[in-house]
Amino acid sequence: MTTLLALSGCVSLPGAAPTAPAAPATPSATSAAPATPPPTSQAAVTAPDPVATGSRQPGGWAGTVASVRSGVAKINVTLCDAGGVGTGFLIENDLIVTAAHVVKDQAAISISLGTEISSAQVLGIDEAADLALLRTARPVSGHIFDFVSAPPALGEDVAALGFPLDADLTFTAGRVSGLNREQTIGARTVSNLIQTDAAINPGNSGGPLLTMDGKVAGVVSSKRAWVFGAGSEGNYSAEGTAFAVDARKAVLAVESWKNRTTSLSPTSCGLPAPADTSAIDVTVNSDHPQAANITQSLVFHGQSINRGAYDLAFAILTPEMQDRMGGLETWREGLGSSFWRTLEVEDVSAAGPDLTASVRLRTVQDAQHGPDGQSCSEWKLDYLMTWDGSIWRIADSLTPQGPPVPCGA
């Protein structure tokens, strides 16, 4: 008997939540020094024209990675009771392939490519094949991947690019160790899998399994975690046994989905709201190395508010911030009908051991819930962000330039 792990990474959000712009917090006391910040995000690299099938990039794998890395997307998914991180890759400037289990039951999705961040919706999903296709809210820049025209050979060099364990872009290399594998993951059986000994972990799901020429041989799906010995009480760790969906199956799925004009409806989380409520138009103007990571935390917070996943939104706040907000129910009542519409991160700067994100935020709400009866508000906020060892949390929110003004004022 084997145990297989799907490789989307869950975000741990133990009882803390971000501040609502409609109720900015009183400045907090000095926070405790955070854990060591995460590695800085890698800047996007402009990709050259695709190389011919079978050719090798100058510099071996290093050359291949340099030419394609700008097209590998980090996918942040808001669920009704959790959050997840996975990987995807561009096949057109507004289409991203990923694994089905990364976006299954999603309430909202945001993707990041370098400093570009966009919301996304699911165009097609096939759980039996563990494949999905996303469309971004606006075109994004990055390398456009091609699929291989023939399956890789047993023993051929391959590599995975992705965001395992919510880390920055990571490269792991190995070889094709099996073809046409079939594996049962949970209640589903996935066939036509490529087996590889390249190291992959939660968060790699949906990323490209590449050949040396930079083409996609497969879509990373799962790995075998344990083997239970037959007739034995011993449990044995399974090393170097990971799987990717064959590119030929991915090509067929993409061709059937990419021309759709209507996306699949996200999970509502019990909120009777339009299907596009979660969409936030995001701009990052700061070149600080943590700007993209901080923005993703703010977007996750806003998307959770928009989809009615208030527990998740509240969980982005530090415990101290949660206390100042009076607890989840008091904070939630203060939101009223507020929704985030646009977020512009203008600057990220040091604030002692923490960072301050200066943002412009547009919210819409029913007039009775808006400040001074506003149905659309423009906020200028400073969010104090603290690193807790796994994610950036909101420790405070200030309005240094005063209360919000009506949109267009």
Side-chain angles (χ1 to χ4, degrees):
M1 175 181 173
T2 61
T3 296
L4 287 104
L5 296 179
L7 295 173
S8 58
C10 288
V11 177
S12 176
L13 297 172
T19 62
T26 302
S28 63
T30 303
S31 302
T36 303
T40 57
S41 298
Q42 302 291 334
V45 178
T46 302
D49 292 334
V51 294
T53 302
S55 66
R56 288 176 175 258
Q57 291 280 33
W61 277 119
T64 300
V65 173
S67 70
V68 305
R69 60 181 295 166
S70 64
V72 183
K74 187 175 186 178
I75 300 174
N76 283 263
V77 180
T78 301
L79 307 172
C80 293
D81 58 357
V85 174
T87 303
F89 55 93
L90 282 174
I91 59 164
E92 294 183 13
N93 64 1
D94 63 347
L95 295 178
I96 293 175
V97 173
T98 189
H101 71 263
V102 171
V103 295
K104 180 177 181 289
D105 298 327
Q106 58 83 25
I109 302 170
S110 67
I111 64 95
S112 59
L113 289 139
T115 59
E116 285 193 85
I117 297 175
S118 173
S119 60
Q121 294 183 319
V122 179
L123 275 185
I125 188 168
D126 183 347
E127 291 184 54
D130 201 18
L131 291 168
L133 184 65
L134 311 181
R135 171 161 286 151
T136 57
R138 64 172 185 271
V140 293
S141 59
H143 175 81
I144 303 298
F145 283 90
D146 290 325
F147 292 99
V148 296
S149 57
L154 194 66
E156 184 174 343
D157 288 343
V158 289
L161 278 177
F163 301 90
L165 308 176
D166 202 17
D168 285 323
L169 186 65
T170 302
F171 166 88
T172 53
R175 290 180 174 84
V176 174
S177 49
L179 295 167
N180 298 316
R181 298 294 201 243
E182 183 176 275
Q183 297 294 331
T184 299
I185 307 172
R188 57 189 169 86
T189 298
V190 183
S191 58
N192 300 116
L193 293 169
I194 299 168
Q195 183 177 321
T196 178
D197 61 359
I200 57 176
N201 286 289
N204 273 119
S205 277
L209 185 71
L210 299 173
T211 55
M212 183 74 83
D213 61 8
K215 294 184 182 295
V216 178
V219 181
V220 173
S221 175
S222 59
K223 76 173 184 179
R224 182 174 293 168
W226 296 95
V227 178
F228 296 95
S232 167
E233 295 181 358
N235 293 336
Y236 303 93
S237 175
E239 301 292 342
T241 310
F243 301 94
V245 180
D246 191 302
R248 293 170 295 178
K249 182 174 283 189
V251 168
L252 292 176
V254 166
E255 287 301 315
S256 69
W257 293 332
K258 70 178 185 179
N259 292 323
R260 290 181 175 178
T261 57
T262 304
S263 59
L264 303 180
S265 297
T267 302
S268 69
C269 302
L271 185 70
D276 67 347
T277 298
S278 63
I280 302 171
D281 187 12
V282 181
T283 305
V284 182
N285 294 327
S286 171
D287 59 1
H288 190 282
Q290 288 300 326
N293 292 327
I294 284 174
T295 302
Q296 280 288 14
S297 282
L298 293 174
V299 169
F300 183 84
H301 173 57
Q303 284 184 336
S304 298
I305 291 173
N306 290 358
R307 296 309 303 169
Y310 296 113
D311 288 2
L312 292 183
F314 194 66
I316 297 293
L317 299 177
T318 63
E320 296 81 5
M321 183 69 172
Q322 290 181 341
D323 288 342
R324 292 198 304 277
M325 291 290 95
L328 173 59
E329 291 307 316
T330 299
W331 172 81
R332 176 176 176 170
E333 289 175 4
L335 287 176
S337 55
S338 177
F339 295 101
W340 288 30
R341 283 310 188 205
T342 65
L343 174 68
E344 180 179 358
V345 178
E346 296 182 311
D347 186 47
V348 174
S349 58
D354 301 320
L355 295 176
T356 294
S358 298
V359 309
R360 290 177 178 268
L361 176 67
R362 172 176 287 191
T363 64
V364 295
Q365 57 276 320
D366 294 339
Q368 64 266 31
H369 297 143
D372 295 327
Q374 297 168 13
S375 59
C376 182
S377 303
E378 301 277 2
W379 300 78
K380 291 184 180 180
L381 292 161
D382 283 350
Y383 282 108
L384 182 65
M385 309 295 295
T386 186
W387 176 249
D388 74 349
S390 59
I391 65 171
W392 286 99
R393 295 190 185 277
I394 300 173
D396 214 340
S397 68
L398 308 172
T399 53
Q401 299 186 42
V405 297
C407 298

